[in-house]
Amino acid sequence: HCLSLSLQIYPIHLPRETRTRRALLICNIEFEHLSRRDGAEVDVEGMTKLLEGLGYVVDIHCNLTSQEMAVVMRDFAALEEHRTSDSTFLVFMSHGVRAGLCGTKSRDDTTDILHLDTIYEKFNNKHCQVLLGKPKVVIFQSCRGVNTGSVMVSDSAAPAMPPPSSAHAIPAGLENDAIFEVHLESDFATLHSSTPDTRSWRSPVTGSLFIQRLIEELRNHAWNSDIQEIFRKVQYSFGKFPRQMPAQERTTMLRKFYLFPG
């Protein structure tokens, strides 16, 4: 029984002294055509302190174009330190649109955009084999459109849609001669600051609401909750703030990731 439980949890590299955890933090504050993200410095400082406390050496990059962000990610994915690490954090803070994050030269939702797909591609199991089977925690602080997240709720009697059929059977008689086949993308836990098409809110003085709450929940619960449970606590904390709802998306965690398994 204990064995099956341990298989449901990502292994953590111990002893701590020989572990080389690395985190990547990209934050765009100054833009050529878009408004300055006042208060974002507070987010950078808070997240850096938090991640260092969790044992990560944080690579910080500010004010990059989408191309520069892609290069930084490629270099980070190639770090040898990931071999002796058990996980990574990838934190992105910028103006944003539905498709992705704005680079410093962005003018609108089509120019200088780092697409979300590019991020997952750089760290998937094909392009970043040193992190194969290791948790990759992705945090996005950005708007994803211009809508406000709150709506007037009606008690409409419209019929609910029937659930789609889930019949994806694997054809019989298949054989596999692959030496070692793995999922292209796995072990990601992603939390966006808002749902698609909606805004995220930031104070010029205290920083982004989402980053504040995330730091708070990680500080309070990293010792007793796995990362997805912590994400849920962050989402719950927005229950009384209808303008913004953080969203867990594109999550492919096969096990639970505890930062401090005690």
Side-chain angles (χ1 to χ4, degrees):
H1 177 68
C2 286
L3 184 68
S4 65
L5 268 181
S6 72
L7 291 176
Q8 291 170 33
I9 296 172
Y10 283 101
I12 295 298
H13 271 225
L14 295 169
R16 201 170 293 184
E17 299 72 51
T18 60
R19 177 167 82 191
T20 54
R21 285 181 168 177
R22 295 295 286 261
L24 176 64
L25 193 158
I26 294 177
C27 181
N28 286 343
I29 300 174
E30 309 270 358
F31 297 81
E32 284 181 24
H33 310 285
L34 307 173
S35 60
R36 188 178 193 279
R37 295 183 60 248
D38 292 320
E41 304 88 341
V42 184
D43 294 341
V44 172
E45 201 182 321
M47 276 309 291
T48 303
K49 221 183 206 164
L50 175 84
L51 290 168
E52 287 174 351
L54 294 170
Y56 294 86
V57 172
V58 187
D59 290 14
I60 303 169
H61 300 268
C62 293
N63 302 329
L64 306 179
T65 63
S66 55
Q67 248 171 330
E68 289 166 342
M69 289 193 268
V71 170
V72 160
M73 288 193 302
R74 187 195 64 205
D75 294 348
F76 181 79
L79 289 177
E80 277 301 304
E81 283 91 335
H82 294 311
R83 286 188 194 285
T84 39
S85 174
D86 47 30
S87 54
T88 190
F89 270 74
L90 309 166
V91 182
F92 300 90
M93 310 180 190
S94 187
H95 284 305
V97 295
R98 175 72 189 253
L101 299 158
C102 297
T104 49
K105 293 186 188 305
S106 180
R107 289 172 181 273
D108 52 43
D109 55 9
T110 56
T111 53
D112 196 21
I113 301 295
L114 175 71
H115 286 264
L116 298 183
D117 286 347
T118 308
I119 296 169
Y120 291 95
E121 197 180 311
K122 295 269 185 246
F123 293 97
N124 70 16
N125 295 327
K126 179 181 176 185
H127 295 122
C128 185
Q129 295 185 357
V130 280
L131 285 170
L132 175 69
K134 299 173 183 181
K136 294 163 274 281
V137 182
V138 191
I139 306 293
F140 292 108
Q141 164 58 45
S142 70
C143 286
R144 307 178 71 189
V146 294
N147 300 335
T148 299
S150 52
V151 290
M152 297 300 285
V153 180
S154 77
D155 289 328
S156 153
M161 293 294 288
S165 147
S166 57
H168 290 296
I170 295 171
L174 282 185
E175 287 184 5
N176 190 339
D177 294 326
I179 305 162
F180 179 50
E181 196 172 6
V182 296
H183 293 283
L184 179 59
E185 185 175 305
S186 65
D187 312 294
F188 282 96
T190 305
L191 189 62
H192 285 268
S193 55
S194 61
T195 50
D197 297 318
T198 62
R199 300 175 193 260
S200 294
W201 299 87
R202 168 175 38 82
S203 152
V205 181
T206 54
S208 309
L209 283 180
F210 167 70
I211 295 294
Q212 288 173 41
R213 306 254 171 107
L214 178 66
I215 289 171
E216 200 179 312
E217 295 298 345
L218 273 161
R219 281 220 174 100
N220 294 338
H221 296 288
W223 64 279
N224 68 356
S225 302
D226 70 279
I227 198 76
Q228 285 175 271
E229 178 59 21
I230 292 171
F231 283 0
R232 196 192 56 73
K233 291 178 193 295
V234 175
Q235 290 175 294
Y236 183 80
S237 77
F238 277 84
K240 301 260 191 298
F241 184 72
R243 292 178 165 195
Q244 182 177 339
M245 172 50 70
Q248 294 191 51
E249 290 173 29
R250 203 158 173 169
T251 291
T252 49
M253 296 291 268
L254 305 178
R255 312 176 184 196
K256 293 185 175 187
F257 176 39
Y258 287 93
L259 283 146
F260 288 137

